Amino acid sequence: MTEAIEYDVVVVGAGPVGENVADRARAGGLSAAIVESELVGGECSYWACMPSKALLRPVIARADARRVPGLRQSVQGPLDTAAVLAHRDYFTSHWKDDGQVGWLESIGIDLYRGHGRLAGPRRVTVTADDGTVTTLAARHAVAVCTGTRAALPDLPGLAEAKPWTSREATSADHAPGRLVVVGGGVVATEMATAWQALGSQVTLLVRGDSLLNRMEPFAGELVADALREAGADVRTGVSVKAVHRQGATVTVTLDDGSALEADEILFATGRAPRTDDIGLDTVGLKPGSWLSVDDTLRVEGHDWLYAVGDANHRALLTHQGKYQARIAGAAITARAAGVPLLETDRWGAHVATADISAVPQVVFTDPEAASAGLTLAEAEQAGHRVRAVDYDMANVSGAGLYADGYTGRARMIVDLDREILLGVTFVGPGVGELIHSATIAVAGEVPIDRLWHAVPSYPTVSEVWLRLLETYRDQ
């Protein structure tokens, strides 16, 4: 048997989540190694969060400018697509990870490039591109931080059609003339927004009856209205039955028998865990499965194995994965130090509570949609006695100053028994920078009576908080 190189903690996957687990382990005085088969920095840095937001920032800035008197006439022309793509390339470091590798080195984390697989309890093998195999052994913990990949449906002709997934959509080097987007979630709406503005004629195909169905219903309605106003063809209640590529043209057959043609087709229809080839079978787990964990992010039935980030299916968001990484790092460090009792009460230092109660999210469409905590439907399903309080954000003075014709809506979900907020949703221009106040209110379980004393500055869009509270008291 090959002699193993020992570390206190071995992390498989060097995306933002894995980086943070390793960082927290090192900060706690533990030695750490990290394994990566692609680029250090992971999906978020090169094919998701960063490139998508770099594509969307000029789109949103132009949309906002067009709503401001004295400025709108200066921004009526098309976007400079080549400049936008170059800006995107800059934010992905041109798909090179030298900077992130340097950061790992600076904090004393050893990087092993290659495919990492579990090889029994506390052991990981790393197969490099040249076929050499290195075995790592973890004294205290192995953390699986391998994330997810795009899940494609089983459709006739799809593989041969070479569809885009989120990776191709965020890294494309040109705007296709005609782009079909299949899906109604975050990736679908954001990429439809971006590529429509960058010169593509977008057709958005949604199997359900609405967009962004994990948010309050009005979020998807306002985003759909804006996409249509921008020129996109948004169709709900439709399904793709087959895809065929002939040369440069993709033909999409729908469930009603009709067909449409495009230059590219993007499937944004869900994610699957990247756990199919990481040796789960060597420790009694099913390859390709989501990994069930307790609130300290430890895989159930394995006192040394952690699954952090998307692979555990708790909250598929980069910032939530990094939050989990901080929690897991604290738990691993405490257990390694022999701490007899971890802080596992709700909101304790060693448990990921926000994944259930206070998840924030921003969808960078035009208008932006942002939420924290539970929707009305989720709160009711959980058995809470609640009231939804709605307000038209156009009636806030700061919104009128932000943009002519400001269109937006706000909702807060009040727990009537405890007089705290369980959830908040904002939809409208600029609300992405407003949502952290909601996250604090929800995570902090700030009483309604105390929120009255959190005075919003005038005239800002944040005055919507005062209007929501007034509406609640007047109901």
Side-chain angles (χ1 to χ4, degrees):
M1 181 179 291
T2 303
E3 185 175 350
I5 305 171
E6 287 194 346
Y7 293 89
D8 291 321
V9 179
V10 176
V11 180
V12 182
V17 176
E19 288 176 320
N20 274 268
V21 172
D23 176 50
R24 290 299 84 205
R26 287 293 296 131
L30 303 179
S31 62
I34 196 164
V35 180
E36 178 53 54
S37 61
E38 294 186 294
L39 296 174
V40 174
E43 200 80 11
C44 176
S45 298
Y46 306 104
W47 301 286
C49 316
M50 295 307 292
S52 65
K53 276 54 186 182
L55 291 173
L56 285 158
R57 178 59 194 145
V59 177
I60 303 305
R62 182 181 66 166
D64 283 348
R66 286 178 170 178
R67 299 183 183 109
V68 179
L71 181 58
R72 64 169 56 98
Q73 296 304 319
S74 301
V75 289
Q76 288 304 312
L79 290 168
D80 183 339
T81 301
V84 173
L85 297 182
H87 180 67
R88 182 270 319 272
D89 293 351
Y90 169 79
F91 271 94
T92 60
S93 300
H94 299 273
W95 290 276
K96 296 179 180 178
D97 62 3
D98 298 7
Q100 303 220 36
V101 171
W103 176 77
L104 289 178
E105 293 173 348
S106 74
I107 61 173
I109 297 171
D110 291 344
L111 170 64
Y112 290 85
R113 289 195 183 273
H115 189 91
R117 295 180 181 87
L118 294 171
R122 293 183 171 85
R123 295 176 77 87
V124 174
T125 59
V126 185
T127 305
D129 288 344
D130 64 4
T132 58
V133 178
T134 303
T135 301
L136 309 177
R139 298 183 188 94
H140 298 292
V142 174
V144 173
C145 307
T146 49
T148 60
R149 55 178 170 77
L152 291 172
D154 184 13
L155 289 174
L158 185 59
E160 295 76 16
K162 298 180 180 178
W164 280 9
T165 67
S166 53
R167 284 199 170 194
E168 290 77 20
T170 55
S171 61
D173 60 5
H174 69 284
R178 300 163 298 173
L179 173 64
V180 169
V181 179
V182 183
V186 177
V187 172
T189 54
E190 287 189 347
M191 290 298 92
T193 298
W195 290 110
Q196 179 69 33
L198 290 169
S200 301
Q201 175 55 55
V202 170
T203 300
L204 182 61
L205 304 177
V206 185
R207 184 170 58 183
D209 58 4
S210 62
L211 278 56
L212 301 176
N213 61 12
R214 294 189 178 180
M215 302 183 85
E216 298 286 5
F218 61 82
E221 293 167 5
L222 290 173
V223 170
D225 289 345
L227 280 169
R228 290 187 176 106
E229 185 177 348
D233 179 4
V234 180
R235 307 184 192 182
T236 58
V238 296
S239 296
V240 176
K241 290 301 181 184
V243 179
H244 175 71
R245 181 180 287 276
Q246 183 67 42
T249 301
V250 177
T251 301
V252 184
T253 303
L254 305 180
D255 54 353
D256 63 1
S258 65
L260 61 152
E261 293 184 344
D263 301 292
E264 300 290 352
I265 182 168
L266 161 63
F267 275 84
T269 50
R271 308 289 297 179
R274 295 182 64 182
T275 61
D276 51 310
D277 188 22
I278 62 168
L280 291 183
D281 54 309
T282 70
V283 294
L285 296 170
K286 181 181 178 181
S289 64
W290 300 103
L291 296 175
S292 181
V293 297
D294 64 20
D295 288 341
T296 69
L297 291 312
R298 189 164 59 177
V299 176
E300 294 175 358
H302 298 74
D303 63 3
W304 56 274
L305 182 62
Y306 293 72
V308 192
D310 285 7
N312 64 39
H313 207 240
R314 287 168 66 102
L316 275 64
L317 295 159
T318 296
H319 48 275
Q320 290 302 122
K322 292 166 70 174
Y323 160 74
Q324 290 180 12
R326 296 190 292 273
I327 299 297
I332 291 168
T333 301
R335 286 175 173 139
V339 174
L341 293 174
L342 272 60
E343 296 179 35
T344 56
D345 291 340
R346 194 165 182 264
W347 304 113
H350 303 118
V351 292
T353 306
D355 289 350
I356 300 169
S357 303
V359 175
Q361 180 173 19
V362 179
V363 184
F364 292 84
T365 46
D366 177 34
E368 292 176 347
S371 65
L374 305 180
T375 63
L376 174 60
E378 289 169 341
E380 290 177 338
Q381 289 166 5
H384 298 289
R385 192 171 68 90
V386 296
R387 179 186 301 166
V389 181
D390 293 328
Y391 194 78
D392 184 346
M393 293 186 66
N395 293 329
V396 177
S397 297
L401 288 168
Y402 190 96
D404 273 5
Y406 190 106
T407 300
R409 186 172 171 185
R411 169 175 285 180
M412 68 180 189
I413 307 301
V414 181
D415 182 327
L416 296 175
D417 295 319
R418 300 176 62 197
E419 287 275 301
I420 61 171
L421 302 185
L422 296 179
V424 181
T425 299
F426 299 122
V427 181
V431 299
E433 297 300 336
L434 189 60
I435 199 59
H436 194 56
S437 57
T439 305
I440 293 170
V442 173
E445 298 181 344
V446 182
I448 292 287
D449 285 347
R450 180 58 62 87
L451 285 175
W452 269 102
H453 297 281
V455 182
S457 298
Y458 179 86
T460 65
V461 183
S462 291
E463 267 204 307
V464 68
W465 279 107
L466 176 58
R467 304 306 171 210
L468 285 167
L469 293 168
E470 289 174 337
T471 302
Y472 173 64
R473 284 204 166 178
D474 292 343
Q475 284 181 341

